[in-house]
Amino acid sequence: MTNILIVEDELPISRVLKAYLEKHQFCVEQAFNGDEAQRKFDSFNPALVLLDVMLPGRSGWSILEYIRSKSSCPVIMLTALGHIDNKLTGLNQGADDYITKPFIADEVVARVKAVLRRSKQIIEGDQVKQFGSLKIDFKAYTVTLHGVELAFTPKDLSLFLFLAQYKNQTFTREQLIEQVWGMDYEGSDRAVDLAIKRIRRSLENWPASEGEIRTYRGLGYKLCVYE
């Protein structure tokens, strides 16, 4: 069974989500404040975290930062803060999806399944690929260049791993948004351009003779690998 950690201080909401997820054969653990969330994340090893923003003690943003400091575990934010700026904050800090309260429990289950599918797609196939001096470990969620691990934001890393999984294939901005940010992303597709710019900066020492991320005007992006 797939482990899901629900971090939600409102007991009725947590109980409903737990019941619906267990109905769909997930193994569920609950936490009701930030400190408990951190302890249970470390001990329960969840495949996905449903994380409320407004928590007693440590906030959901703090817990998200803690999770991202040590894991690529998918995180879906749950919050009553529905303004687009709050959503962008969550996504830019490494959340994989963002659900505004009030919500329908069936929708949450559907979002959980969708995020888990996207996460699984990234690591399907070869677990390690070597493109010259660039090594990509899809299971460990790491990219090393000349033996040194590169630092990416979680979303940039997800985007690069997706392009690497489907090397030498061109994807439009819309396709990349759907695969990496999710179909319900409400921000601008400029997020893709900015992420690509940051990724290229991280790869600046990757020899051009081995590969590059190419822009196809009017089409999209491709990770070209010269083998």
Side-chain angles (χ1 to χ4, degrees), residues 92-145:
N92 288 335
Q93 289 187 7
D96 295 87
D97 204 349
Y98 194 111
I99 301 176
T100 304
K101 299 176 183 178
F103 47 72
I104 299 172
D106 281 329
E107 177 191 1
V108 176
V109 173
R111 297 278 194 99
V112 166
K113 291 181 177 180
V115 169
L116 287 172
R117 273 197 307 273
R118 292 200 300 270
S119 178
K120 181 181 179 182
Q121 286 171 356
I122 289 174
I123 62 173
E124 284 181 341
D126 295 337
Q127 292 187 343
V128 177
K129 290 188 177 183
Q130 187 91 32
F131 304 142
S133 54
L134 188 71
K135 180 180 179 181
I136 304 169
D137 190 323
F138 292 89
K139 184 176 182 180
Y141 222 59
T142 59
V143 180
T144 56
L145 180 61

Side-chain angles (χ1 to χ4, degrees), residues 24-140:
H24 287 266
Q25 307 305 310
F26 291 104
C27 179
V28 179
E29 187 64 64
Q30 296 165 286
F32 299 96
N33 59 63
D35 292 333
E36 185 182 18
Q38 181 173 320
R39 291 195 302 272
K40 290 195 173 180
F41 179 81
D42 290 335
S43 62
F44 186 53
N45 191 30
L48 182 143
V49 178
L50 287 168
L51 178 60
D52 188 20
V53 171
M54 308 295 286
L55 294 169
R58 297 180 61 184
S59 71
W61 301 128
S62 174
I63 298 304
L64 175 61
E65 182 180 6
Y66 175 78
I67 292 172
R68 283 291 164 262
S69 71
K70 58 187 307 181
S71 171
S72 59
C73 173
V75 177
I76 299 178
M77 306 301 293
L78 302 174
T79 181
L81 304 174
H83 192 275
I84 185 61
D85 288 344
N86 293 307
K87 293 186 178 183
L88 291 176
T89 296
L91 294 170
N92 288 335
Q93 289 187 7
D96 295 87
D97 204 349
Y98 194 111
I99 301 176
T100 304
K101 299 176 183 178
F103 47 72
I104 299 172
D106 281 329
E107 177 191 1
V108 176
V109 173
R111 297 278 194 99
V112 166
K113 291 181 177 180
V115 169
L116 287 172
R117 273 197 307 273
R118 292 200 300 270
S119 178
K120 181 181 179 182
Q121 286 171 356
I122 289 174
I123 62 173
E124 284 181 341
D126 295 337
Q127 292 187 343
V128 177
K129 290 188 177 183
Q130 187 91 32
F131 304 142
S133 54
L134 188 71
K135 180 180 179 181
I136 304 169
D137 190 323
F138 292 89
K139 184 176 182 180

Side-chain angles (χ1 to χ4, degrees), residues 154-168:
K155 194 63 66 178
D156 291 356
L157 181 56
S158 293
L159 174 58
F160 182 65
L161 292 182
F162 178 79
L163 290 172
Q165 187 68 55
Y166 300 98
K167 62 182 176 67
N168 298 322

